[in-house]
């Protein structure tokens, strides 16, 4: 892939992340055509004769807008590689497709016990279907000890919401020796922050609802696989359960990729500044951000991540203190997602699915000016202390 007008003698030079994100998945230049064609709204296609080999047959099987997005996602997850990407209606649809298409009765599955809270619902489904599930915390030796006889290892790094980090390459090597498939939930890092397939994982799965699309207006998920057979399995699952993305959502997601590097760079800068400011506050405990040099996960994160993400987590003294803080915020909105252009925060304990203190806050930094976000947080902390 070469950006329009790039000199031929530099064609072999690797593209930067921003350039790749801008051009990923675009069709070859065509006179007078838009660089990114509009969404294809189609439930069916003209289909004469034998449908075998037809690129598009029915709207649940494929769509040109999905194809362009999936090509872009594969390029971002595995630059200049051979990855296969499959888009889904949501991150949960993508997660479900991987687990429920791969795991069989009697299989041993290793899952994080500190990851995304709806993963627990999938665990219940797996166990109901006869799988044996081992749950272990992210990071540390327990993940390695749980691998004996495993058929699938699921990693979430950094974990959500605790922001622990695990060694993808070492765990992938150990899991492969057991014959296990290795899946990494890459939602928080995005492919510009971390490329699990390049670290040895077999599958990278993510919610595109979060930082990938970044505007808080799209529900989307995707799976990127090194093996075409694995990709075919999740693609068939998508067809059977109908968990297909809408063409408008797929088009919006592809459009949003062009600003991905700009957004994640600004968010990473602000998140680090926020973490440093919060570290000075006596009422703040349990502060986590993998980009903070003092964070326990930083040395490992620095080895396998290229950007450290937009999320900062911390704990205030109790539920009431946290609620006063959140109510006093002006620029930072209360919302349950993360990764968007607008800064958000929430008290995660209100959902009941995460093993966190009542005063635990997950903060997602947007693309506002760094100084303004920091000032809003400090002012709200002061207000919470005075009340």
């Amino acid at each position: 892939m070469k950006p329009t007008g790039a000199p031929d003698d530099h064609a072999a030079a690797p593209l930067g992340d921003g350039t790749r994100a801008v051009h990923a998945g675009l069709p070859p230049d065509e006179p007078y055509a838009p660089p990114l064609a509009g969404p294809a709204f189609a439930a069916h296609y003209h289909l004469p004769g034998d449908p075998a080999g037809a690129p598009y047959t029915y709207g649940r099987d494929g769509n040109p807008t999905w194809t362009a997005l999936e090509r872009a996602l594969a390029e971002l997850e595995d630059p200049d590689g051979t990855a296969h990407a499959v888009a889904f209606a949501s991150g949960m649809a993508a997660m479900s497709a991987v687990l429920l298409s791969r795991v069989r009765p009697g299989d041993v599955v290793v899952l994080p016990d500190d990851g995304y809270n709806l993963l627990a619902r999938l665990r219940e489904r797996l166990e109901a279907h006869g799988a044996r599930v081992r749950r272990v915390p992210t990071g540390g030796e327990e993940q390695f000890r749980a691998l004996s006889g495993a058929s699938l290892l699921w990693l979430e790094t950094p974990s959500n919401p605790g922001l622990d980090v695990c060694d993808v390459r070492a765990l992938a090597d150990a899991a492969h020796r057991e014959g296990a498939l290795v899946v990494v939930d890459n939602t928080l890092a995005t492919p510009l922050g971390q490329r699990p397939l390049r670290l040895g994982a077999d599958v990278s799965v993510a919610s595109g609802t979060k930082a990938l699309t970044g505007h808080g207006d799209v529900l989307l998920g995707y799976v990127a696989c090194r093996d075409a057979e694995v990709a075919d399995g999740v693609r068939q699952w998508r067809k059977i359960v109908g968990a297909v993305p809408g063409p408008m959502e797929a088009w919006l997601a592809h459009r949003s990729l062009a600003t991905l590097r700009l957004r994640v760079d600004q968010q990473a800068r602000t998140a680090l500044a926020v973490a440093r400011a919060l570290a000075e506050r006596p009422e703040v405990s349990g502060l986590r951000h993998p980009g903070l040099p003092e964070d326990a996960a930083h040395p490992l994160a620095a080895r396998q991540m290229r950007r450290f993400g937009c999320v900062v987590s911390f704990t205030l003294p109790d539920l009431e203190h946290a609620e006063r803080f959140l109510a006093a915020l002006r620029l930072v909105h209360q919302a349950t997602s993360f990764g968007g252009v607008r800064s958000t925060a929430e008290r995660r304990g209100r959902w009941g699915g995460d093993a966190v203190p009542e005063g635990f806050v997950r903060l997602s930094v947007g693309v506002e000016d760094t100084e303004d976000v920091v000032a809003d947080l400090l002012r709200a902390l002061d207000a919470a202390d005075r009340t």
Side-chain angles (χ1 to χ4, degrees):
M1 179 180 64
K2 182 179 75 172
T4 303
D8 290 339
D9 58 345
H10 291 162
L15 296 175
D17 284 345
T19 303
R20 189 176 296 279
V22 168
H23 291 269
L26 297 185
D29 290 349
E30 181 180 335
Y32 320 117
L36 178 62
F41 297 104
H44 63 268
Y45 304 89
H46 294 295
L47 191 63
D50 186 352
Y56 301 104
T57 59
Y58 186 67
R60 190 178 57 247
D61 297 312
N63 181 290
T65 312
W66 306 352
T67 300
L69 173 62
E70 289 170 346
R71 187 167 56 239
L73 294 170
E75 291 175 17
L76 294 180
E77 288 279 354
D78 188 25
D80 305 315
T82 58
H84 310 268
V86 185
F88 286 85
S90 68
M92 277 303 298
M95 294 167 63
S96 300
V98 174
L99 286 168
L100 298 179
S101 71
R102 298 296 304 182
V103 178
R104 301 289 182 266
D107 283 354
V108 174
V109 180
V110 181
L111 300 180
D113 66 2
D114 52 359
Y116 180 49
N117 57 12
L118 284 183
L119 193 59
R121 300 293 178 264
L122 278 173
R123 171 182 58 82
E124 294 169 1
R125 287 290 177 185
L126 294 174
E127 291 174 334
H129 292 161
R132 292 178 290 161
V133 178
R134 298 170 183 162
R135 301 174 64 217
V136 294
T138 298
E141 292 301 314
E142 287 184 68
Q143 285 183 297
F144 291 91
R145 290 195 294 268
L147 291 175
S148 178
S151 58
L152 187 145
L153 169 65
W154 186 283
L155 306 175
E156 185 177 309
T157 181
S159 62
N160 170 32
L163 302 181
D164 283 306
V165 173
C166 61
D167 191 328
V168 176
R169 190 177 298 280
L171 283 162
D173 288 345
H176 288 154
R177 288 193 291 271
E178 294 289 333
L181 188 81
V182 178
V183 184
V184 176
D185 184 335
N186 203 38
T187 299
L188 198 147
T190 82
L192 296 196
Q194 179 174 265
R195 290 193 172 113
L197 302 185
R198 292 296 181 93
L199 294 169
D202 302 294
V203 178
S204 178
V205 62
S207 167
T209 308
K210 310 296 194 296
L212 187 88
T213 57
H215 290 76
D217 53 9
V218 172
L219 285 176
L220 196 88
Y222 73 91
V223 176
C225 312
R226 293 196 294 178
D227 189 307
E229 182 182 354
V230 177
D232 286 343
V234 296
R235 193 176 291 111
Q236 283 298 313
W237 185 265
R238 178 181 68 180
K239 174 180 178 176
I240 292 167
V241 301
V244 297
M248 190 65 188
E249 286 78 7
W251 184 86
L252 286 169
H254 198 168
R255 174 219 57 176
S256 298
L257 295 181
T259 61
L260 179 59
R261 198 264 299 172
L262 301 175
R263 290 185 279 110
V264 297
D265 280 354
Q266 173 65 17
Q267 288 169 314
R269 284 192 294 269
T270 301
L272 182 57
V274 163
R276 285 172 170 158
L278 292 175
E280 302 298 320
R281 300 290 301 210
E283 72 271 44
V284 169
S285 63
L287 176 66
R288 299 300 305 271
H289 177 63
L292 193 66
E294 297 79 22
D295 191 280
H298 179 73
L300 175 55
R303 293 202 303 271
Q304 67 186 24
M305 298 181 72
R306 290 153 38 246
R307 293 170 176 85
F308 298 111
C310 62
V311 177
V312 179
S313 66
F314 57 97
T315 301
L316 293 174
D318 52 41
L319 183 155
E320 291 76 14
H321 197 120
E323 292 291 355
R324 293 197 303 270
F325 162 72
L326 293 167
L329 292 166
R330 295 295 175 264
L331 289 179
V332 181
H333 302 291
Q334 292 194 58
T336 192
S337 194
F338 63 85
V341 293
R342 299 168 188 85
S343 295
T344 60
E346 71 166 336
R347 192 181 62 79
R348 285 299 295 175
R350 65 180 177 170
W351 298 103
D354 297 307
V356 295
E358 288 287 4
F360 181 95
V361 175
R362 184 183 68 185
L363 168 68
S364 172
V365 170
V367 300
E368 302 95 343
D369 289 341
T370 300
E371 297 80 4
D372 293 334
V373 176
V374 171
D376 191 43
L377 293 168
L378 295 180
R379 184 194 54 76
L381 287 170
D382 288 341
D385 284 344
R386 289 194 299 268
T387 304

